[in-house]
Amino acid sequence: MTRYTRVASALHWLIALAILANFVFGTWMVDLDLSPAKLRYYSYHKWLGVSVFLLVLVRIAWRLGHRPPALPAHMPGWERVAAGVSHVALYGLTLAVPLSGWLFSSAKGFKTVYFAVIPIPDLLAKNPPLADVLKLWHLSLNYVMALLVLLHVAAALKHHFMDRDDVLVRMWPFDRSGSGAKS
Amino acid sequence: MKRWYALLTLVALPAGAAPLAVDLAKSEITFQSKQMGVPVDGRVRKFAMQLDFDAKKPEAGSVKIELDAASIDAGSEEANTELVKRGWMDAAKFPKATFVSSSVKTLSGGRYEVTGKMTIKGNTRDLSAPFTVKTQGNAQLFEGAFVLKRLDFKIGEGAWSDTETVADEVQIRFKVLAGPAPK
Ligand code: HEM
């Protein structure tokens, strides 16, 4: 079996965890009453989101330089197309979600200062009506991404438990001892 | 008639010249606070000012400013809703903040410094602000900046007095355009 490279696998799971965490955290923090803690949480949310964005850029760069293992031979054409399209969409959404958060924040009049140290330039000037629209975009893109992630997970499980192929195992980060030996 | 009126103001204002005509539409009081390292811009939308200044006799100058506490725009709707509350400006009980100068002195490099008493939310503190004066046609443009420590005036009590999230220092800037005294 050909596996994904360690780097590809590490980036995949790191980004997946960070996005899941930020999704849950973002949903939780918005309903809190205004307090200093809430302001801190918003900053943490932004920092984690910016980190995701940077990691996705690294991931895409790595992907362009490293061809992933071929899809199993048993997959029909439509499945191959669906896999290809959904993977491209996932790369796009994992960039678009943090991007929309950043644009929203700028339009709201709050510059993002990464780790309270590095100011990230605002592409948009303060514009409260536009901020309301971008807030909705940030939320909607999140839900579209969540839906696609569910589909992605379902497909991985189908490969593993129904097709019994190596699609999930070759991306799995642990137990790489038998790399190439396992069939 | 006009001459009589001029004579009257001379009598009514023993010290110095008649107050200048402040052009409120072209004057502004803005500020910048910091939360989690993020600079947030705000401004005082409504204020009144009595200003008296003659570059030939700077020490005779004086200023009295009255700021409308409920008119402060702290950068976002959420912040403005919060700011009028008791822990912040307590605008219902203290609708006005005032600054009354006690002296003006000349600094080097064509700069001046005004010192006086700032009263916000019933707390009075001495404050000084350096400023410059430029002539614009027959008007004068006064510009200056100083740092106000919000906790000196109990702006942000309880959990909000934590300066890790919202900094104590607030950078205040003023720009005042004043024409010659009305005749
Ligand atoms: C992996 C990246 C990210 C994920 C998964 C994510 C997810 C979310 C979610 C689920 C919400 C809750 C929306 C709601 O229920 O109303 C939210 C809110 C928010 N996000 Fe993100 N976000 C990410 C990145 C970012 C970035 C990079 C920024 C800004 C630089 C940002 C700024 C915000 C803000 C300001 C809110 C609050 C919206 C409000 O005030 O209602 N997010 N995010």
Side-chain angles (χ1 to χ4, degrees), chain B residues 68-138:
Chain B
D68 190 305
S71 82
I72 300 176
D73 176 3
S76 67
E77 227 178 276
E78 293 82 351
N80 294 348
T81 312
E82 188 69 18
L83 197 67
V84 292
K85 291 186 185 166
R86 197 176 311 156
W88 290 94
M89 293 299 289
D90 200 358
K93 195 164 160 211
F94 302 100
K96 303 277 186 219
T98 57
F99 178 79
V100 181
S101 70
S102 49
S103 70
V104 176
K105 69 177 185 198
T106 307
L107 304 176
S108 60
R111 288 158 69 245
Y112 305 93
E113 185 180 72
V114 58
T115 299
K117 294 206 178 302
M118 177 74 107
T119 305
I120 305 175
K121 217 180 161 183
N123 306 289
T124 302
R125 288 277 185 287
D126 289 314
L127 268 183
S128 295
F131 67 93
T132 58
V133 186
K134 284 188 208 117
T135 342
Q136 283 197 350
N138 66 348

Side-chain angles (χ1 to χ4, degrees), chain A residues 15 18-31 38 42 45-53 94 97-105 108 112 135 138-139 142-143 145, chain B residues 78:
Chain A
I15 290 168
I19 288 181
L20 179 65
N22 223 19
F23 184 89
V24 173
F25 190 65
T27 306
W28 172 73
M29 72 176 190
V30 291
D31 290 328
K38 182 173 185 172
Y42 268 52
H45 176 77
K46 294 177 188 185
W47 302 345
L48 185 54
V50 171
S51 306
V52 165
F53 182 80
T94 48
V97 163
L99 207 61
S100 63
W102 167 57
L103 291 175
F104 160 59
S105 201
K108 185 88 189 169
T112 300
K135 179 165 147 179
H138 189 50
L139 181 70
N142 259 292
Y143 284 115
M145 179 181 69
Chain B
E78 293 82 351

Side-chain angles (χ1 to χ4, degrees), chain A residues 1-3 160 164-167 169-170 178-183:
Chain A
M1 176 184 71
T2 15
R3 286 183 158 275
H160 194 68
R164 293 175 183 277
D165 59 24
D166 60 7
V167 160
V169 179
R170 65 196 201 172
S179 183
K182 254 188 236 160
S183 59

